[in-house]
Amino acid sequence: MAFRARHLLGIEGLGPDEITSVLDLADNYVDLNRQDVKHDTALSGLTQINMFFENSTRTQASFEIAGKRLGADVMNMAVDSSSVKKGETLIDTALTLNAMHPDLLVVRHPHSGAVSLLAQKVNCAVLNAGDGRHEHPTQALLDALTIRRAKGRLHRLTIAICGDIAHSRVARSNIWLLSKMESRVRLVGPPTLMPSDAADWGVEVYGDMAEGLKDADVVMMLRLQKERMDGGFIPSEREYFHRFGLDPAKLAHAKDDAIVMHPGPMNRGVEIDGTIADDINRSVIQDQVEMGVAVRMAAMRLLAENLRADRAEKASLKSVDA
Ligand code: ASP
């Protein structure tokens, strides 16, 4: 089987074959999700816990729907009213939940690396739903599925990722994925929002939208991650929109059939003009949301299969020992 991972912590550790196997399975779930009856039993009997230490709309809702459609028992931990507020550490919270025998733990945390740390302490499959500015693997996978369905392939495309690259986990996961699938990635944004080592990432870096978008197949816009900024990174939102906000004039530099993406939440009039976000001929933003449920179903199913195989192997080793 192509998908070998025990956890889904980032795109960095996945091979192109593993990425393709998630996307192929997700394609089937897109079909299932368009039926009246959307149930499958792939996770039946398993317990999924969602722990979100940062705000989320799309990711949390789609992980919950994905788990329920596959028959898992899904619990959303209400972090705001949990003992985290009484000073319990992330690891202690994780160990407490681990004692309840979950099978899948979906975690979002403001600190880069926190989800990997937690994965070392528990006996179940862990999915990273976004850790600081580090990675957001299911976002990159759903973006890839959206692109593959719109363009028919993931290789030899030119993809411009624009805006606040420095603070974006979406950018990092997408750069890993699109490079592994042999597409050309351009990063476009002001120098204050560009990581200082971006030029070493195997991407092209642009400070001007007209140049960066020239002949692009895909234009991916990012939100200004103000929650991760500790100072003034832009002169004003108005000035930022003028230079880096996607409007019809800037989009005209991309290919005529270029698609426009945004992971959400969007700030209209800051990084994207509302008319473009709503243009059904260019914007695939709602498709991204739809693909999000299918990709999360696929990822959880593949991890559950590996978890079951792992447990069966351990059980048989134990019986040999006995
Ligand atoms: N929803 C995405 C994330 O969690 C993008 C964003 O918040 O701007 O990283």
Side-chain angles (χ1 to χ4, degrees):
M1 194 178 52
F3 190 84
R4 300 167 295 274
R6 185 156 185 255
H7 304 291
L8 181 57
L9 301 175
I11 299 295
E12 183 179 1
L14 296 182
D17 56 335
E18 291 181 288
I19 293 168
T20 302
S21 62
V22 178
L23 302 186
D24 290 348
L25 182 58
D27 261 329
N28 297 338
Y29 283 127
V30 175
D31 295 338
L32 178 75
N33 289 339
R34 290 180 182 178
Q35 312 287 321
D36 284 344
V37 178
K38 303 169 181 64
H39 286 149
D40 183 335
T41 53
L43 300 185
S44 95
L46 300 186
T47 300
Q48 172 191 338
I49 300 183
N50 299 332
M51 292 164 80
F52 280 68
F53 295 91
E54 238 189 27
N55 295 346
S56 172
T57 305
R58 279 150 289 270
T59 308
Q60 180 159 5
S62 60
F63 264 116
E64 182 175 354
I65 289 173
K68 287 182 172 163
R69 287 192 181 159
L70 294 180
D73 295 314
V74 185
M75 189 274 237
N76 290 309
M77 203 183 87
V79 172
D80 282 343
S81 53
S82 72
S83 290
V84 172
K85 292 281 161 206
K86 298 183 187 167
E88 187 171 73
T89 66
L90 170 69
I91 299 302
D92 283 335
T93 306
L95 292 177
T96 302
L97 292 173
N98 192 49
M100 300 180 196
H101 299 290
D103 303 287
L104 296 152
L105 211 49
V106 179
V107 188
R108 167 169 289 189
H109 199 277
H111 294 141
S112 303
V115 184
S116 307
L117 188 71
L118 186 145
Q120 295 164 18
K121 311 278 177 195
V122 295
N123 305 318
C124 61
V126 176
L127 291 101
N128 180 3
D131 64 323
R133 65 181 75 183
H134 176 233
E135 280 233 38
H136 192 350
T138 54
Q139 177 71 46
L141 288 163
L142 75 88
D143 289 340
L145 186 63
T146 308
I147 297 171
R148 195 172 80 166
R149 289 172 72 98
K151 296 285 163 198
R153 64 182 200 277
L154 274 177
H155 60 281
R156 279 194 274 114
L157 293 169
T158 300
I159 292 142
I161 305 180
C162 313
D164 182 1
I165 313 290
H167 303 102
S168 173
R169 53 196 175 210
V170 175
R172 281 172 182 72
S173 289
N174 266 296
I175 294 166
W176 279 117
L177 190 149
L178 295 165
S179 307
K180 283 175 195 270
M181 302 316 273
E182 294 177 11
S183 267
R184 182 171 163 193
V185 179
R186 295 180 183 164
L187 304 181
V188 192
T192 47
L193 295 176
M194 198 58 75
S196 51
D197 57 346
D200 306 331
W201 295 358
V203 296
E204 297 164 30
V205 179
Y206 293 86
D208 177 82
M209 288 288 275
E211 286 171 25
L213 264 56
K214 192 169 180 314
D215 296 329
D217 297 288
V218 176
V219 181
M220 189 182 290
M221 301 308 300
L222 299 174
R223 181 177 66 89
L224 294 172
Q225 309 272 303
K226 290 192 191 141
E227 68 275 33
R228 280 184 254 292
M229 294 183 188
D230 50 10
F233 284 80
I234 54 163
S236 71
E237 287 187 351
R238 214 178 128 169
E239 170 70 10
Y240 181 78
F241 180 69
H242 176 65
R243 291 202 51 207
F244 294 98
L246 188 66
D247 58 15
K250 295 191 193 82
L251 183 58
H253 295 282
K255 283 195 180 146
D256 290 342
D257 62 352
I259 54 169
V260 174
M261 306 180 75
H262 194 304
M266 263 187 291
N267 286 139
R268 291 166 184 256
V270 181
E271 73 272 5
I272 190 164
D273 186 289
T275 56
I276 292 190
D278 299 332
D279 179 352
I280 52 165
N281 296 314
R282 306 306 291 271
S283 163
V284 293
I285 295 170
Q286 296 309 324
D287 300 315
Q288 289 174 266
V289 179
E290 181 185 5
M291 297 309 126
V293 179
V295 151
R296 288 168 179 129
M297 290 168 84
M300 288 199 290
R301 178 184 173 154
L302 292 169
L303 286 171
E305 282 171 5
N306 291 353
L307 182 76
R308 284 184 170 125
D310 215 37
R311 286 176 179 168
E313 196 186 311
K314 278 188 189 134
S316 76
L317 286 175
K318 233 183 187 169
S319 67
V320 170
D321 281 353

